[in-house]
Amino acid sequence: MYDIKTLGADVLREPASDVTAFDPELKRLVSEMFMVMKRGDGIGLAAPQIGILKNIFVVHVNGDTPRVFVNPEILETSMEQSPYEEGCLSVPGIYAEVTRPDRVRVQAYNEEGKRFTIDAGGLLARVVQHEYDHLRGVLFVDRLPEGKRERVLRMYKKRHR
Ligand code: NI
């Protein structure tokens, strides 16, 4: 069983690489990712969060079907942006408002290697952008204004001493 890497782990800061083989191993990894996400009560999980530097994330937003994104590319983002409170299984106990585009168009592959494009809005758009950041070594706390980021990181350190 994989465990979740938390803030401070180098693997969370490195860029992931594309998946090249859509094989049974990929399917196993994807189903492990869903299990780890559910165990952590999360709605999204990116492979680097379990120490695997591959361009894969899984999302399961309430009321929607579980979704797998392999080698995702964000093709378009809306001009309109909104703040929304985010958290992350890799930064446990910390929640903060992050401003992001309201809608995104994403192209990706599923675990079978079938390409799809999705226009996401609402919480799905939010989670997709958060997870996409993980594939580039970016955490949601990086997107906070500097003063707020420092406060949040101090709080985190205090709690996890
Ligand atoms: Ni996260």
Side-chain angles (χ1 to χ4, degrees):
M1 200 61 171
Y2 294 99
D3 51 51
I4 295 172
K5 307 292 175 189
T6 54
L7 187 63
D10 291 341
V11 72
L12 292 176
R13 294 312 199 169
E14 287 165 31
S17 18
D18 272 350
V19 169
T20 51
F22 292 84
D23 56 11
E25 202 180 318
L26 174 67
K27 286 180 190 162
R28 261 200 306 278
L29 176 58
V30 164
S31 70
E32 290 276 351
M33 286 175 64
F34 275 114
M35 283 200 294
V36 172
M37 181 179 78
K38 286 198 171 112
R39 199 178 45 180
D41 215 11
I43 54 175
L45 185 83
Q49 292 184 272
I50 55 166
I52 294 176
L53 285 170
K54 291 281 181 196
N55 284 325
I56 309 166
F57 61 77
V58 297
V59 176
H60 194 182
V61 170
N62 246 345
D64 189 22
T65 51
R67 296 176 187 274
V68 180
F69 296 79
V70 179
N71 301 345
E73 288 297 334
I74 290 185
L75 302 177
E76 257 182 81
T77 54
S78 64
M79 296 291 287
E80 302 79 20
Q81 305 200 337
S82 302
Y84 190 84
E85 190 172 74
E86 295 188 22
C88 179
L89 292 174
S90 293
V91 196
I94 296 294
Y95 299 89
E97 271 192 357
V98 181
T99 298
R100 298 189 192 263
D102 291 345
R103 294 183 308 280
V104 286
R105 172 171 293 166
V106 195
Q107 183 184 82
Y109 296 81
N110 69 10
E111 71 274 38
E112 312 276 350
K114 187 175 188 300
R115 194 170 68 179
F116 64 93
T117 302
I118 183 172
D119 287 305
L123 188 53
L124 181 60
R126 173 70 46 176
V127 183
V128 161
Q129 293 174 81
H130 175 117
E131 301 312 327
Y132 189 80
D133 272 354
H134 274 300
L135 305 181
R136 278 143 189 82
V138 175
L139 300 175
F140 82 102
V141 290
D142 303 341
R143 296 202 175 273
L144 300 174
E146 199 179 325
K148 191 172 184 186
R149 182 170 63 238
E150 281 165 10
R151 277 200 303 280
V152 152
L153 291 179
R154 258 201 312 275
M155 195 192 305
Y156 180 82
K157 276 183 196 139
K158 216 182 271 176
R159 283 193 195 161
H160 294 270
R161 240 187 334 227

